[in-house]
Amino acid sequence: MNYCTLEDVKGHIPDARLVEITDDTHPNSSGTIQSDIVEKAIVESSNLIDAYIGKRFKLPLPSVPSVLNSICVDLTIYNLYERVTEMNVTDGMQLRYKNALSLLKGIAEGDISIGIVPEEGVTENGFKVASNGGEAMFSMKSMRF
């Protein structure tokens, strides 16, 4: 499942800039947005999102939450700029990329809601240790002979 579209990306980046970062197959450049390159970046970004949220939610999701759409747009723009070595990734893009990854971590850990309740059957790996606040069952004091 893709979490954004070319139209979503176009809403955040001018068409002229999209041409600049996608139509780089010189000397055969056409002066148009290469939608296949944008689509590849969207798929890569969506796969990364799935890798994070698949731990918590059954995939594919029934719909695309707006927060995942925004994250996918940010990751896609970053990926498009990064693929063209002569184009510099700005500090703002770098920050948006890091924030997107941070949000994905929060979603995966259950600290951030995307408005969808995790379905049964999806379990977390590992375990958690809980404390009732009392004295530890196995402490240095209780284990002395």
Side-chain angles (χ1 to χ4, degrees):
M1 160 184 263
N2 290 340
Y3 295 99
C4 74
T5 64
L6 171 59
E7 292 305 313
D8 293 326
V9 174
K10 285 173 125 181
H12 288 77
I13 232 181
D15 283 1
R17 187 54 55 102
L18 270 174
V19 169
E20 190 178 355
I21 61 177
T22 63
D23 191 28
D24 58 343
T25 54
H26 302 293
N28 298 324
S29 59
S30 64
T32 60
I33 297 169
Q34 299 300 310
S35 58
D36 58 325
I37 292 175
V38 177
E39 186 64 29
K40 182 179 180 217
I42 290 170
V43 167
E44 289 171 357
S45 300
S46 296
N47 288 340
L48 179 63
I49 292 170
D50 281 346
Y52 275 93
I53 70 168
K55 159 184 173 181
R56 185 159 192 80
F57 300 95
K58 185 175 181 181
L59 300 175
L61 296 176
S63 63
V64 177
S66 59
V67 68
L68 294 183
N69 176 267
S70 298
I71 289 170
C72 192
V73 168
D74 287 345
L75 293 174
T76 299
I77 292 170
Y78 180 85
N79 288 340
L80 288 171
Y81 270 89
E82 189 179 50
R83 67 173 285 282
V84 185
T85 56
E86 63 270 3
M87 297 293 292
N88 291 328
V89 175
T90 66
D91 291 340
M93 277 188 244
Q94 191 80 349
L95 180 61
R96 289 176 73 114
Y97 179 80
K98 288 179 182 178
N99 286 342
L101 292 182
S102 178
L103 278 171
L104 286 174
K105 287 176 187 173
I107 292 167
E109 293 171 1
D111 297 332
I112 298 172
S113 172
I114 60 171
I116 296 176
V117 177
E119 294 184 23
E120 288 186 36
V122 178
T123 58
E124 289 189 34
N125 295 332
F127 62 91
K128 294 184 179 181
V129 177
S131 171
N132 62 7
E135 186 176 325
M137 182 182 290
F138 298 105
S139 66
M140 291 301 287
K141 181 180 175 184
S142 69
M143 295 191 57
R144 294 189 183 214
F145 294 100

